[in-house]
Amino acid sequence: MKLSMFADASLRAMVMLAALPPGEIRTAREVAEVIEVPVTHLSKAISRLSDFGLVEVARGRYGGAQLTAAGREASVGAVLRRLDPRSDLAECVSAEGNQCPLIADCALRSILAEAREAFYQSLDRHLIVDLPTPRQIHIMFPTIPVCTPVAAAL
Amino acid sequence: MKLSMFADASLRAMVMLAALPPGEIRTAREVAEVIEVPVTHLSKAISRLSDFGLVEVARGRYGGAQLTAAGREASVGAVLRRLDPRSDLAECVSAEGNQCPLIADCALRSILAEAREAFYQSLDRHLIVDLPTPRQIHIMFPTIPVCTPVAAAL
């Protein structure tokens, strides 16, 4: 089981943006470099997060991205539900549109859907804004002072 | 989020084998045809399930596969834990061995692991042997008589 590369990059970008002091912005390229994701993927991720109202993008020479209030207050579960367009965890219907012959009245399909809901509910308890740890903030933004015990030990 | 193609094929093969009357066997090709999975994938899946002691394979001209007692009594959660070799849901460490710069002290990583455990625990409640529904048994094995209300309505 794994997250899509797109959901993965989007979540990590949100963690990085959540670590910024209020009002600060970063370009897609800057975020991509820090979290080591190809900038083309990251640009698409930022664009989709902007469509969802989770990220605000200022265009132009001094432009960049920051989380919106909704993005800061969103839970990880809520973000992943938006990012995951698949209706089935298994290949009940493949990308080519082929359908599993057992799809009708399938217990496996319904218990996988139930388990995915348990997965999301577990993530509903955690807000994006609470994710960045002092050690990570120090890695992402060495110039931003941190003074918690964890960061001081670096 | 999705299951690997391998886990998907393995689970569906187990559902089909669980629908067989005791003592009956099916070849990898027969299973592959019914659940519409490429036979090469299915053969690998059966081989891996056999390594795990979940499936018993009789070789030779009249050979084929059937679930072992352990396979029949296994929960879907237990099977998926065995089939899923990934330690991380996200690309914390990529297939090429590249490591996310934020991996140390990462809250996202630990809450994703916690959520995956909630996913598995939800599946721990369901046994493989309880999965095939009468309608599916009729699709897989039209010659095996079924006489529940669901099957009678077909």
Side-chain angles (χ1 to χ4, degrees), chain A residues 1-3 8 12 34 84 86 89-91 100-102 105-107 114-115 119 122 125-126 131 133 136, chain B residues 1-3 8 12 34 84 86 89-91 100-102 105-107 114-115 119 122 125-126 133 136:
Chain A
M1 188 171 71
K2 67 173 185 174
L3 295 183
D8 182 16
R12 286 200 272 151
V34 168
D84 198 351
R86 295 177 56 89
L89 264 173
E91 286 277 344
C100 171
L102 309 181
D105 192 32
C106 181
E114 193 180 281
F119 172 83
S122 171
R125 302 197 302 265
H126 302 277
L131 291 184
T133 60
Q136 288 179 321
Chain B
M1 188 173 68
K2 67 172 184 174
L3 296 182
D8 183 17
R12 286 200 272 152
V34 169
D84 199 350
R86 295 176 56 87
L89 265 173
E91 287 276 345
C100 170
L102 308 181
D105 192 34
C106 181
E114 192 181 281
F119 173 82
S122 172
R125 302 197 302 263
H126 303 278
T133 61
Q136 289 180 320

Side-chain angles (χ1 to χ4, degrees), chain A residues 14-20 127-137 140-141, chain B residues 105-108:
Chain A
M14 287 189 80
V15 171
M16 176 169 170
L17 295 175
L20 284 172
L127 302 188
I128 292 288
V129 75
D130 294 332
L131 291 184
T133 60
R135 186 189 295 259
Q136 288 179 321
I137 294 172
M140 292 186 280
F141 310 108
Chain B
D105 192 34
C106 181
L108 180 59

Side-chain angles (χ1 to χ4, degrees), chain A residues 102 104-105, chain B residues 132-140 146 148 150-151 153-154:
Chain A
L102 309 181
D105 192 32
Chain B
T133 61
R135 188 190 292 259
Q136 289 180 320
I137 295 172
H138 182 80
I139 294 168
M140 292 186 278
V146 278
T148 67
V150 173
L154 283 170

Side-chain angles (χ1 to χ4, degrees), chain B:
Chain B
M1 188 173 68
K2 67 172 184 174
L3 296 182
S4 70
M5 191 160 41
F6 182 72
D8 183 17
S10 302
L11 272 185
R12 286 200 272 152
M14 288 189 80
V15 171
M16 177 171 169
L17 294 175
L20 284 172
E24 282 214 29
I25 60 176
R26 287 296 185 275
T27 64
R29 182 172 300 277
E30 287 169 328
V31 178
E33 279 171 7
V34 169
I35 63 174
E36 294 185 12
V37 167
V39 70
T40 47
H41 293 183
L42 212 281
S43 297
K44 280 183 204 159
I46 296 275
S47 170
R48 185 71 65 88
L49 292 170
S50 168
D51 293 343
F52 293 152
L54 299 168
V55 159
E56 190 182 338
V57 179
R59 309 276 167 201
R61 189 169 173 190
Y62 300 105
Q66 62 182 322
L67 293 188
T68 60
R72 297 179 77 81
E73 286 153 24
S75 72
V76 179
V79 172
L80 270 187
R81 283 176 217 259
R82 298 298 299 269
L83 292 172
D84 199 350
R86 295 176 56 87
S87 59
D88 290 302
L89 265 173
E91 287 276 345
C92 301
V93 180
S94 74
E96 296 78 37
N98 298 326
Q99 189 165 295
C100 170
L102 308 181
I103 197 168
D105 192 34
C106 181
L108 180 59
R109 190 182 194 205
S110 65
I111 68 166
L112 284 172
E114 192 181 281
R116 180 163 68 169
E117 187 52 34
F119 173 82
Y120 286 143
Q121 281 180 11
S122 172
L123 296 173
D124 285 342
R125 302 197 302 263
H126 303 278
L127 302 188
I128 292 288
V129 75
D130 295 331
L131 291 184
T133 61
R135 188 190 292 259
Q136 289 180 320
I137 295 172
H138 182 80
I139 294 168
M140 292 186 278
F141 311 110
T143 58
I144 296 176
V146 278
C147 49
T148 67
V150 173
L154 283 170

Side-chain angles (χ1 to χ4, degrees), chain A residues 8-101:
Chain A
D8 182 16
S10 302
L11 272 184
R12 286 200 272 151
M14 287 189 80
V15 171
M16 176 169 170
L17 295 175
L20 284 172
E24 283 214 29
I25 60 176
R26 289 294 184 275
T27 64
R29 180 171 301 278
E30 286 168 329
V31 178
E33 278 171 8
V34 168
I35 63 174
E36 293 185 12
V37 167
V39 69
T40 48
H41 294 182
L42 212 280
S43 296
K44 281 182 204 160
I46 295 275
S47 169
R48 185 70 65 88
L49 293 171
S50 167
D51 293 344
F52 293 152
L54 299 168
V55 159
E56 190 182 338
V57 179
R59 310 276 168 200
R61 188 170 173 189
Y62 299 105
Q66 62 183 324
L67 293 188
T68 59
R72 297 180 75 84
E73 285 152 26
S75 73
V76 180
V79 171
L80 269 188
R81 283 176 217 259
R82 297 298 299 269
L83 292 173
D84 198 351
R86 295 177 56 89
S87 58
D88 290 302
L89 264 173
E91 286 277 344
C92 300
V93 180
S94 73
E96 296 79 37
N98 298 326
Q99 191 165 292
C100 171

